[in-house]
Amino acid sequence: MARIIAGVASSHVPAIGAAIDNKQTEEPYWKRVFSGFEKSKQWMAKAKPDVCIVVYNDHASAFSVEIVPTFALGCAAEFPPADEGWGPRPVPVVKGHPALAAHITQSVILDEFDLTIVNKMEVDHGLTVPMNLLFGQPKDHWPCPVIPLAVNVVLYPPPTAHRCYMLGKAIRKAVESYREDLNVVIFGTGGMSHQLQGPRAGLINRPFDTRFLDNLTQDPEANVRIPHIEYLREAGSEGIEMVMWLIMRGALDEEVREVHRFYHVPASNTALGHIILENLTPYEDC
């Protein structure tokens, strides 16, 4: 059967993608950011997932204010990089896994989560930047197929932390009922604390972020109880993106192994957070 072996969480700051594309990764400002992902790339090269599920939020690339799905699962065979105003990023087209995506869709909808099925979609920096940070910058193709899961954390109302966490559990159930032998890594992206506008522009809250990372490993239910207003107050207007990390966490074992953690401020006015969590089950079965 298919199985989720690990979860990865990472910020998806668009300026990181620009630094990669413009070959600025060795510049002093950016080198400190990219050095924190060297161990992560080594881990990913060893893990060699057959499929990745990437939870991210669209930034008005695939969806506009006319149609805003709460949860949208990409079921297409491929997902081209979006033009976000300066042309598509020079990254490979993201290849999908339509069979597993369709299976997840059926299972999750029958578990009463109303996913929007998307058969044509472009993907933006929310997905491609975390892929770069974990896989590097491939020339021709990404190392594995990807199933995008877009979550609305842009327009009110976003889904609750609890809803996201429970969706993660439903996704795990779906993956484990898929008969093909696949190792799956699930990403949660976005955050951490940041606010891009208004009097509090530039807000970063290291204690809140650190507590969230600690709880992600040790006590995810504590993060699940955080209400929307607390994200706004403590993590800024864009901090709500962190609920997407809880979809990833809900898809993992209750007890996990923390492999790597990295936290850096600032990365283009954002607190950049990253963590890798492995399920214990594969090791217990060895």
Side-chain angles (χ1 to χ4, degrees):
M1 71 175 187
R3 68 201 64 80
I4 294 175
I5 61 170
V8 173
S10 174
S11 302
H12 59 217
V13 183
I16 292 175
I20 295 171
D21 301 341
N22 295 317
K23 305 186 186 309
Q24 297 173 323
T25 58
E26 292 299 311
E27 293 183 1
Y29 181 89
W30 288 111
K31 189 170 184 177
R32 291 176 295 172
V33 170
F34 290 101
S35 64
F37 288 86
E38 287 303 314
K39 182 175 180 179
S40 307
K41 288 192 289 186
Q42 295 169 10
W43 173 87
M44 186 63 84
K46 184 178 179 181
K48 294 181 179 178
D50 299 300
V51 183
C52 286
I53 300 170
V54 180
V55 184
Y56 74 109
N57 64 287
D58 175 72
H59 301 80
S61 298
F63 309 108
S64 72
V65 294
E66 296 176 352
I67 300 176
V68 185
T70 301
F71 301 114
L73 194 74
C75 296
E78 61 180 35
F79 306 94
D83 183 346
E84 299 183 63
W86 49 87
R89 290 194 62 216
V91 296
V93 170
V94 175
K95 300 295 184 180
H97 197 299
L100 179 56
H103 178 83
I104 292 172
T105 298
Q106 175 172 295
S107 178
V108 168
I109 289 175
L110 292 178
D111 274 343
E112 301 183 350
F113 283 89
D114 298 325
L115 292 185
T116 298
I117 300 168
V118 187
N119 292 316
K120 184 178 181 181
M121 180 168 65
E122 296 180 347
V123 291
D124 62 24
H125 71 269
L127 183 142
T128 59
V129 164
M131 293 283 288
N132 280 138
L133 290 172
L134 271 295
F135 289 106
Q137 182 76 325
K139 291 183 179 179
D140 301 317
H141 56 84
W142 295 105
C144 68
V146 173
I147 298 174
L149 174 58
V151 180
N152 170 40
V153 289
V154 176
L155 294 181
Y156 185 86
T160 64
H162 179 262
R163 187 67 168 167
C164 289
Y165 189 63
M166 297 308 293
L167 177 57
K169 290 183 178 295
I171 289 172
R172 175 176 179 154
K173 176 184 173 184
V175 169
E176 291 182 345
S177 65
Y178 190 68
R179 292 186 178 182
E180 187 178 352
D181 188 22
L182 297 173
N183 286 332
V184 178
V185 169
I186 183 167
F187 284 60
T189 73
M192 296 188 88
S193 60
H194 63 301
Q195 181 155 325
L196 303 180
Q197 68 289 305
R200 296 201 307 166
L203 178 148
I204 288 175
N205 187 342
R206 181 186 289 266
F208 180 87
D209 292 340
T210 301
R211 185 165 63 251
F212 190 92
L213 287 166
D214 289 343
N215 287 337
L216 207 64
T217 301
Q218 303 164 9
D219 185 12
E221 293 283 352
N223 287 344
V224 172
R225 292 191 293 269
I226 299 174
H228 286 159
I229 191 64
E230 187 170 342
Y231 284 102
L232 180 63
R233 182 178 59 244
E234 300 293 336
S237 54
E238 280 72 42
I240 190 62
E241 290 179 347
M242 293 159 69
V243 298
M244 295 187 290
W245 294 31
L246 296 176
I247 297 178
M248 174 275 289
R249 186 61 181 91
L252 303 182
D253 293 345
E254 290 187 13
E255 295 186 10
V256 293
R257 185 195 316 272
E258 183 175 318
V259 175
H260 178 54
R261 181 194 296 201
F262 176 61
Y263 184 84
H264 175 78
V265 295
S268 185
N269 285 339
T270 302
L272 187 150
H274 169 50
I275 198 166
I276 298 174
L277 304 174
E278 287 183 338
N279 274 336
L280 300 178
T281 305
Y283 295 91
E284 292 170 352
D285 288 345
C286 289

